[in-house]
Amino acid sequence: MVTSSPDMTLTAPLSLPLPSPRTPLDGGGKGDGGRGGGCGADPAMVARWYEDELRWATADGRDGAPVRLLTGLRFDVLELPAAAGFAVLRRLGGSQWPVALAGPRMRLLVAAGSADELPGLLDWLEWGGIALDLAALGAGGRMTAPIPPGWSGSGSPGAAVWLRPPEPGREVEPTLPALPALGAGIGVRGGAGAPSLVRLVDAAASECHRVRLLGAEGAQRLASS
């Protein structure tokens, strides 16, 4: 028997428009200095952009290896099916913290330390023990770096891209979903209007569960046809 989550999630209208992914464009992108992007991007240049423009730590990027962003330092990541992720963004409204897409997966940047809080939050929200396609990357983790916004190149199918890119020159930490301050309500927003981590995890668990149930129902229909 599945126990539903507490009735504490505040939802926004489902008709809220979402921006299209910032897929790399052909032709010289603003600020890329002709460096290129997509599958032809120089990994060393990609790494340098993240390190110089955002002050984010990177790994790999040598000998053609994809650049990875180190999680657990300035941010953690919640990863879930893209279908569930888009539903979460509609539910939580128009706040603009960084969000990336990589094929069928969406990656939501959250405050550093959030990955450690995820199991306890799921238990507290009564989602513990339920199979959810919801994962977290924290200390010691690595996330494939999306091509920097505005860089040129065609990209490749399923390549990581920014849906909501981070802003160069702006500290990312104040924009991220985080746990509310001690004594604040669970619905209190995080920095820069981002949802609280509690609200985000509750919405993400609910939408992951919905997507999983819809997938199971579709498989059953195919098997019976």
Side-chain angles (χ1 to χ4, degrees):
M1 178 177 179
V2 174
T3 303
S4 61
S5 62
D7 186 16
M8 59 178 65
T9 302
L10 305 175
T11 59
L14 295 183
S15 59
L16 274 171
L18 291 170
S20 299
R22 299 292 184 90
T23 308
L25 302 174
D26 288 322
K30 181 180 179 181
D32 70 354
R35 292 168 291 195
C39 58
D42 179 354
M45 297 300 291
V46 173
R48 185 178 302 172
W49 186 89
Y50 279 100
E51 293 167 357
D52 292 349
E53 299 294 332
L54 300 179
R55 306 300 185 200
W56 291 6
T58 66
D60 301 326
R62 297 181 179 180
D63 300 323
V67 178
R68 311 280 184 178
L69 304 177
L70 304 187
T71 59
L73 301 176
R74 301 194 59 182
F75 58 86
D76 285 357
V77 172
L78 292 184
E79 184 180 285
L80 67 168
F86 279 111
V88 168
L89 297 183
R90 288 193 294 268
R91 289 179 63 166
L92 298 183
S95 53
Q96 293 296 315
W97 81 97
V99 176
L101 289 173
R105 308 291 293 177
M106 183 176 287
R107 293 164 181 166
L108 311 173
L109 271 62
V110 294
S114 297
D116 292 336
E117 303 291 345
L118 182 61
L121 281 176
L122 290 173
D123 286 340
W124 186 70
L125 292 165
E126 299 186 16
W127 287 107
I130 299 173
L132 300 170
D133 193 4
L134 177 63
L137 296 174
R142 298 183 180 190
M143 163 187 163
T144 301
I147 292 298
W151 283 35
S152 63
S154 60
S156 58
V161 296
W162 285 112
L163 174 63
R164 294 175 175 175
E167 295 183 21
R170 181 183 183 185
E171 296 293 324
V172 71
E173 289 87 349
T175 72
L176 301 177
L179 284 176
L182 186 64
I186 61 169
V188 172
R189 286 188 171 272
S196 73
L197 182 65
V198 178
R199 192 166 176 244
L200 173 60
V201 168
D202 191 37
S206 177
E207 295 301 335
C208 284
H209 186 55
R210 182 184 64 82
V211 167
R212 185 179 180 87
L213 290 179
L214 290 175
E217 291 173 0
Q220 289 176 353
R221 284 196 297 269
L222 287 175
S224 62
S225 62

